[in-house]
Amino acid sequence: MAKGFMDGYRTYDTSEGYGSAWEWKKSFHQRMNKEEADEILGTDDPYEILGVKRGASNTEIKSAFRKLAKIWHPDLNPGRIDEATAKMKKINAAYSLLIM
């Protein structure tokens, strides 16, 4: 399993070169699958993590995700990198589950 707050995204295989910009963009935007997200979340409720009500629209979920990402992004929390990284993993997993 990859390490870091970007666990919510698939990584791009550079073993055979970097490829085209289109391939980079395509691989970056692939979200984690349900099993990966469930493994990260465990028994945590994705709605609670994002702070939205059950039945929230995709727009509300996306807005909540962006607000939390601005708060918990590890680059914005240099003194609390470990905590911010763990929080961003859960935020990414919750977002991936709810948007699927």
Side-chain angles (χ1 to χ4, degrees):
M1 180 180 234
K3 294 181 180 178
F5 79 96
M6 292 299 291
D7 281 353
Y9 296 94
R10 299 231 181 254
T11 56
Y12 182 73
D13 181 18
T14 57
S15 61
E16 296 186 23
Y18 289 97
S20 69
W22 180 82
E23 289 170 332
W24 270 91
K25 185 175 182 179
K26 180 182 165 191
S27 68
F28 183 78
H29 289 288
Q30 289 178 334
R31 294 266 173 209
M32 70 177 80
N33 63 34
K34 183 182 182 324
E35 290 79 25
E36 293 168 328
D38 281 339
E39 184 180 323
I40 291 171
L41 288 178
T43 59
D44 295 337
D45 180 22
Y47 292 99
E48 263 185 47
I49 291 170
L50 294 179
V52 295
K53 297 178 183 175
R54 293 194 179 276
S57 69
N58 281 353
T59 306
E60 293 169 324
I61 293 169
K62 188 174 188 177
S63 176
F65 168 76
R66 288 184 173 183
K67 284 179 187 176
L68 289 171
K70 286 179 185 177
I71 295 169
W72 286 105
H73 194 283
D75 289 348
L76 302 175
N77 292 286
R80 304 185 303 176
I81 286 199
D82 293 336
E83 180 185 2
T85 300
K87 193 77 167 172
M88 273 308 295
K89 283 181 187 179
K90 288 192 176 217
I91 292 167
N92 278 328
Y95 179 69
S96 294
L97 273 180
L98 297 180
I99 292 297
M100 284 181 185

